[in-house]
Amino acid sequence: MRDENCIFCRIANGEIPSKTLYEDEEFRVILDLQPATRGHALILPKEHHRNLYDLPDETASRVMVLAKRMAVRMKDKLNCHGFNLIQNNGEAAGQTVFHFHLHLIPRYENDGQTLGWKPVESTEGELEEVKDIIIG
């Protein structure tokens, strides 16, 4: 299924030009127009899925296989020193386009980018409580 109003559906299906790095019947990998680093790319499924929660398991599996293949190639060709895979779900997590996509971000020493979170202390009891909530 495609959403005609979704810009990523239109890019993934070739209706809007992009700098395509890879394409098959299910995915298109494009360079990000506002890259975090040199070579920052996005994996876009051609079918519309709003986020990870909506993504079929089979598609999720194939996304990771493609991400690995692309990361290995990009690391070799771009001579980057590391790699981040980032995938946001929901506004609170920073998702701005509501079509599942996976960011492939090559990392270079002193590239000026920071990714992370502020770690907080957690007690054994808090961890046990959260574990019980999640696994029921």
Side-chain angles (χ1 to χ4, degrees):
M1 177 181 78
R2 290 185 41 216
D3 179 345
E4 295 301 323
N5 297 315
C6 173
I7 190 160
F8 278 6
C9 279
R10 296 180 65 209
I11 293 169
N13 288 283
E15 296 169 26
I16 296 175
S18 64
K19 299 296 182 201
T20 299
L21 302 178
Y22 173 85
E23 180 181 13
D24 63 23
E25 62 283 342
E26 192 172 14
F27 302 103
R28 183 180 296 257
V29 181
I30 65 168
L31 289 175
D32 195 306
L33 291 178
Q34 297 179 315
T37 64
R38 182 173 179 262
H40 178 172
L42 304 173
I43 297 178
L44 306 174
K46 291 184 176 182
E47 293 291 319
H48 185 78
H49 306 286
R50 195 167 161 76
N51 50 42
L52 180 66
Y53 316 122
D54 295 342
L55 198 66
D57 290 349
E58 303 78 29
T59 304
S61 295
R62 289 190 293 274
V63 164
M64 288 308 294
V65 171
L66 178 55
K68 178 185 183 265
R69 190 176 332 130
M70 292 302 301
V72 168
R73 180 172 180 79
M74 292 166 76
K75 183 178 183 317
D76 179 54
K77 298 293 186 178
L78 296 173
N79 297 310
C80 58
H81 305 107
F83 225 91
N84 289 117
L85 300 179
I86 299 176
Q87 203 282 307
N88 303 317
N89 296 282
E91 256 181 79
Q95 186 178 11
T96 57
V97 178
F98 292 89
H99 177 112
F100 173 90
H101 55 287
L102 180 65
H103 293 262
L104 306 172
I105 304 176
R107 297 305 302 272
Y108 306 90
E109 290 183 24
N110 304 311
D111 63 18
Q113 292 295 337
T114 57
L115 296 174
W117 48 89
K118 183 174 136 185
V120 297
E121 294 296 320
S122 193
T123 67
E124 184 67 28
E126 290 168 330
L127 293 174
E128 189 66 31
E129 178 186 352
V130 171
K131 181 190 88 163
D132 290 345
I133 290 169
I134 293 171
I135 64 173

